[in-house]
Amino acid sequence: MDASSPPGLSPLQRRKRSAILDGAKTVFLRQSFALAKMDDVASAAGVGKQTVYRHFRSKEALFVGLVTSMCAQVGALLAAPQDAQSDGSPDVELRALGWLLAQILIAPDNLRLYRAIVAEAERLPELGQVFYENGAKVVRAFAAKILRKRFDESTAALRAATFINLVLGDAYLELSIGYAVPDVETRFALQIDEAVAAALR
């Protein structure tokens, strides 16, 4: 988990930073940000607490680093099929993007991350900005790239936002607040059908 590593780190430093982010993911998503302690992160990472602080000046900075890293991982997963399907029809590409996005975002760790971000966003405004710039904005850009095959740039951007909102829909909202959603796949299938139709209408 070192997609967000700054340049200039040695291989050892990159490995330690990656271990710290993995430890933070384990601790923050299990205990919540508020209850998590840097000692626990260091223990989970297999490094000393001072090593954690050499890479991240505070618990807040570590959480921002974790959000950046996890968003980068999602972006990489979404980019791979787009590269492979660059000559596909918008309908096919949007449907593939919608399914992949839904599958990624409803994974337990990603739901926990979203809940943690919402819980801390008011106290840590930087967190919301990082999540938007590296998460929501990137996802919309993938959809807009597909839609530019059929629409001008401004229309594609507008329809991309609508597409993403419809893909996630009520099913994602319910899952994100811990509500049990029966037959999740069917719910998302209906939402993705509507999202593709609305985007290309």
Side-chain angles (χ1 to χ4, degrees), residues 5-195:
S5 291
L9 295 182
S10 70
L12 177 60
Q13 289 173 321
R14 284 197 296 272
R15 287 195 298 273
K16 287 190 175 182
R17 183 183 178 89
S18 180
I20 292 165
L21 288 169
D22 284 337
K25 180 179 176 180
T26 298
V27 173
F28 288 166
L29 301 189
R30 182 184 66 214
Q31 298 181 9
S32 83
F33 173 79
L35 296 177
K37 294 180 171 56
M38 293 293 262
D39 285 320
D40 296 332
V41 173
S43 178
V47 300
K49 188 163 73 169
Q50 289 307 311
T51 300
V52 176
Y53 279 112
R54 276 198 292 274
H55 286 269
F56 299 96
R57 68 184 181 280
S58 65
K59 187 168 81 166
E60 290 78 8
L62 177 54
F63 193 25
V64 169
L66 175 63
V67 171
T68 302
S69 178
M70 290 183 70
C71 284
Q73 289 183 324
V74 170
L77 289 172
L78 293 174
Q82 279 215 330
D83 292 340
Q85 299 177 5
S86 59
D87 295 327
S89 71
D91 180 288
V92 170
E93 289 189 36
L94 285 174
R95 197 170 299 279
L97 176 62
W99 274 113
L100 184 58
L101 179 64
Q103 290 165 354
I104 291 170
L105 294 189
I106 67 172
D109 278 349
N110 288 327
L111 284 171
R112 292 184 190 109
L113 179 70
Y114 179 71
R115 293 175 192 133
I117 290 168
V118 171
E120 298 297 330
E122 183 174 0
R123 193 176 67 84
L124 299 172
E126 180 188 358
L127 194 61
Q129 182 178 352
V130 166
F131 178 67
Y132 178 77
E133 293 292 332
N134 295 279
K137 192 173 179 180
V138 171
V139 170
R140 289 180 184 177
F142 283 126
K145 179 181 176 182
I146 296 169
L147 287 162
R148 284 198 297 272
K149 293 182 175 183
R150 184 167 297 185
F151 303 105
D152 63 64
E153 188 167 347
S154 61
T155 303
L158 182 62
R159 290 182 180 236
T162 299
F163 171 76
I164 298 302
N165 288 334
L166 290 173
V167 164
L168 299 179
D170 285 346
Y172 181 71
L173 172 62
E174 292 163 18
L175 288 167
S176 69
I177 60 174
Y179 185 81
V181 178
D183 205 354
V184 171
E185 188 170 323
T186 299
R187 286 283 300 278
F188 276 104
L190 292 171
Q191 290 177 181
I192 290 167
D193 284 346
E194 179 60 29

